[in-house]
Amino acid sequence: MRKFPKTLFVSISLEHLPMTEGELKQFCIEWEDSRFQNLRPAVVTRWKTETLALGKSKVDFELIFPLRFWDGLIYFFFPKRYSQKEKGKLTDILRNYILFKEPIEKPKPFKELWIQFWKRPITIVWLNLGFTKLRMELDFIPDLLPNAHPLHFDGEKKLYFRTGYLKTITYRFTKKEFKAPYPKFAEMYIKTKDKHSDQSFGKTYYSFLGYLLETKDDEYLLSYFGLNPILPMSIRKEIPNEIWKIIHPEIQSQWLELNLLGNELEFRTVYQVSTSSQNHLR
């Protein structure tokens, strides 16, 4: 059976940028801390800056772009046309973000909205789901939760993790089923107060921050699976490995999660679909 490409490698150079190399390098370092989130699902594997004359500079990026089946099929038959199209889109995003320091929002075309509608995950099935509560110091990005205020307790924040094996992701007409050894998978929440437009505060709840895999280098796959958001590296690197130790391989419980669009723990309820679990969640 013919195998179609699963990744596209892209190299992009931006020259004569109106800033010094030092300014450009510092900008890229800060951007790297957020794992170049506005480029997802493309992943930056390497970048390099260079000084040019008259106080200008140059930057080179190397990126990996994951291809779904139909994308890989198109790329297989029309490699030059497809790669030029994707390279053009990424070049525009890079140039606009560097020059204007913010992504330029464009209305999504109907085709993109239609594809997003069908590829958005609807449910997740976990195996051996458990939970961990931690208090720890955490470098937090305010823009990550614009409508919520993280609570501090003696200088620390309260975190909540749901951790288990990822068994199944269901889409509208398709399903992705993983086989043993299943990937270790987690959801991360932080205790917050609701923040209103007049800067007053409302109820307290756990806000959803994002998904994690045990192997950080594999987390680019989360976008490929449609599981967004992805945690900024500044937060991800502080998560202790101890959260993965609560998974018990000998237990064969299954849990179904339906509301993947919920932003609060209480709205992301899980339902047990087998009865052998020792980890009964609230």
Side-chain angles (χ1 to χ4, degrees):
M1 181 178 177
R2 178 176 293 172
K3 293 184 177 180
F4 299 111
K6 294 184 178 180
T7 54
L8 171 65
F9 296 90
V10 181
S11 296
I12 297 173
S13 292
L14 300 176
E15 300 184 2
H16 302 290
L17 296 172
M19 62 189 73
T20 65
E21 183 188 7
E23 293 170 336
L24 178 60
K25 182 175 291 186
Q26 181 61 35
F27 177 82
C28 290
I29 290 172
E30 294 174 359
W31 196 8
E32 187 177 39
D33 286 341
S34 67
R35 303 190 72 180
F36 302 96
Q37 275 196 322
N38 58 319
L39 295 175
R40 296 290 180 181
V43 176
V44 175
T45 59
R46 191 181 74 87
W47 60 268
K48 180 182 178 182
T49 59
E50 182 181 332
T51 298
L52 298 180
L54 302 175
K56 296 187 178 182
S57 56
K58 171 187 175 183
V59 62
D60 298 320
F61 290 95
E62 292 184 2
L63 307 98
I64 298 177
F65 192 86
L67 302 175
R68 296 179 183 269
F69 174 78
W70 291 111
D71 297 325
L73 179 65
I74 296 171
Y75 177 59
F76 182 83
F77 288 106
F78 308 100
K80 185 175 181 180
R81 181 178 177 183
Y82 185 89
S83 59
Q84 286 180 341
K85 178 183 175 183
E86 294 301 327
K87 182 176 180 177
K89 290 194 295 186
L90 289 171
T91 301
D92 288 342
I93 294 173
L94 287 165
R95 182 185 294 111
N96 289 333
Y97 193 72
I98 290 173
L99 293 178
F100 302 108
K101 308 297 188 295
E102 59 184 14
I104 296 178
E105 296 290 338
K106 296 181 179 179
K108 293 184 178 180
F110 177 77
K111 179 181 178 182
E112 185 175 344
L113 291 172
W114 182 257
I115 292 174
Q116 185 182 51
F117 176 77
W118 292 113
K119 291 184 177 180
R120 177 181 294 160
I122 297 175
T123 64
I124 287 176
V125 174
W126 302 70
L127 286 177
N128 305 349
L129 180 60
F131 66 93
T132 306
K133 287 185 177 181
L134 296 178
R135 286 176 60 164
M136 59 182 290
E137 294 182 5
L138 187 68
D139 293 333
F140 196 79
I141 302 173
D143 292 342
L144 198 60
L145 293 172
N147 298 317
H149 176 71
L151 297 179
H152 298 258
F153 302 87
D154 297 327
E156 297 179 322
K157 297 180 177 67
K158 285 190 175 182
L159 306 176
Y160 183 104
F161 297 89
R162 288 211 291 232
T163 312
Y165 294 110
L166 181 58
K167 182 184 180 184
T168 307
I169 305 173
T170 302
Y171 304 89
R172 297 196 179 272
F173 279 122
T174 60
K175 179 187 295 185
K176 182 167 185 61
E177 296 190 73
F178 297 89
K179 297 181 179 179
Y182 300 100
K184 289 184 179 180
F185 180 69
E187 291 178 341
M188 180 179 177
Y189 301 82
I190 185 170
K191 197 165 191 178
T192 62
K193 270 192 174 294
D194 206 8
K195 184 168 65 176
H196 302 147
S197 58
D198 62 357
Q199 301 304 310
S200 63
F201 296 110
K203 67 173 185 175
T204 299
Y205 58 90
Y206 277 96
S207 294
F208 176 65
L209 286 182
Y211 300 103
L212 302 85
L213 292 174
E214 183 182 31
T215 305
K216 286 184 285 190
D217 291 341
D218 290 341
E219 288 183 349
Y220 71 93
L221 292 170
L222 293 173
S223 288
Y224 179 73
F225 298 147
L227 296 171
N228 292 309
I230 293 179
L231 289 172
M233 180 55 70
S234 58
I235 292 178
R236 178 63 180 90
K237 66 183 180 182
E238 297 185 46
I239 307 306
N241 291 328
E242 283 72 18
I243 68 168
W244 306 107
K245 294 181 180 179
I246 68 165
I247 305 177
H248 303 287
E250 69 277 5
I251 304 171
Q252 290 302 311
S253 62
Q254 293 189 38
W255 297 78
L256 176 67
E257 185 172 2
L258 295 171
N259 184 17
L260 302 185
L261 297 179
N263 292 320
E264 302 174 21
L265 178 62
E266 62 186 271
F267 294 122
R268 298 178 66 92
T269 309
V270 289
Y271 301 90
Q272 193 173 21
V273 293
S274 67
T275 57
S276 59
S277 174
Q278 300 172 11
N279 302 314
H280 292 279
L281 304 188
R282 295 186 283 131

